[in-house]
Amino acid sequence: MGEHRTDLPDVDGLIIGILGGTGDQGKGLARRFSLAGHTVLIGSRSAERAEEAARAVAAPGTRTRGAENAAVAAEADIVIVAVPWDGHRALLESLRDELSGKIVIDCVNPLGFDKRGAYALPVEEGSAAQQAAAVLTGSRVVAAFHHVSAVLLLDPEVDQIDLDVLVLGDDREATDIVRALAGRIPGFRGVYGGRLRNAHQVEALTANLISINRRYKAHAGIRITDIN
């Protein structure tokens, strides 16, 4: 059995906060983690918008609610950053205190778009995840959930999404927790993908997947071969 499946921690009961949870990616992840039985907190600059998004994606009988980003960051056990790239640094700078000591999962892809399609943007720190780590020096930053189709996450007809979630970080315990969390979504498998310094190519690969999906009219993801 491959190392990635052994001795993963129990993440049942963790409260998951999603900053930028009113976008499609954030709402999709909120929906899936709600279905998995987690309490999910959707964050936004507007509490009203966050509450509206929470009502839209909450699974029946589950605990999903919306609030302003700062309240979500303070209450959640683990926080996913799913904001647009152009607001990434400013939001994290405003939440340093609330996110201190917590695992912060960055799934932001710094991409540009023109007539020829999607392309990766240069990031001074190397990647969005490295920027998050530079800003949130008191947090445990992990990169993950970059290659997940928001369309599939939100589709009520899709019960299982066959996908490997590449998880990158410098803290072994934190990456194991995030791998275990990925496995809570049916079909997902969390796979360790290297140190945080390798996050750039994972984020940039999203541009390739967008090109694949446009050409083949698909919702392609990533699968890693030869590990169990």
Side-chain angles (χ1 to χ4, degrees), residues 19-173:
L19 306 180
T22 58
D24 286 345
Q25 193 79 358
K27 284 193 294 186
L29 288 169
R31 178 177 180 274
R32 296 291 167 167
F33 283 121
S34 174
L35 287 168
H38 287 274
T39 295
V40 180
L41 310 177
I42 290 179
S44 174
R45 286 176 296 181
S46 162
E48 184 178 356
R49 284 188 64 213
E51 290 163 2
E52 181 181 346
R55 287 192 296 270
V57 301
T62 60
R63 301 172 300 279
T64 301
R65 63 184 189 277
E68 291 184 355
N69 283 320
V72 167
E75 184 177 347
D77 297 317
I78 190 164
V79 175
I80 299 172
V81 180
V83 296
W85 167 240
D86 58 6
H88 184 260
R89 179 191 287 275
L91 176 69
L92 297 182
E93 286 177 342
S94 73
L95 298 175
R96 278 196 187 99
D97 290 344
E98 290 86 352
L99 294 173
S100 181
K102 298 187 178 186
I103 294 175
V104 176
I105 304 171
D106 200 295
C107 68
V108 174
N109 297 307
L111 299 178
F113 297 86
D114 61 19
K115 289 186 293 184
R116 295 194 294 173
Y119 61 95
L121 296 173
V123 179
E124 181 180 355
E125 295 84 356
S127 65
Q130 288 171 289
Q131 183 181 93
V135 172
L136 303 174
T137 55
S139 303
R140 305 159 73 188
V141 175
V142 175
F145 298 110
H146 299 89
H147 306 142
V148 187
S149 165
V151 173
L152 295 181
L153 289 172
L154 287 166
D155 190 340
E157 301 299 318
V158 175
D159 296 324
Q160 178 169 312
I161 305 171
D162 294 324
L163 178 78
D164 283 338
V165 175
L166 296 179
V167 179
L168 298 91
D170 300 327
D171 181 319
R172 173 67 178 267
E173 182 185 38

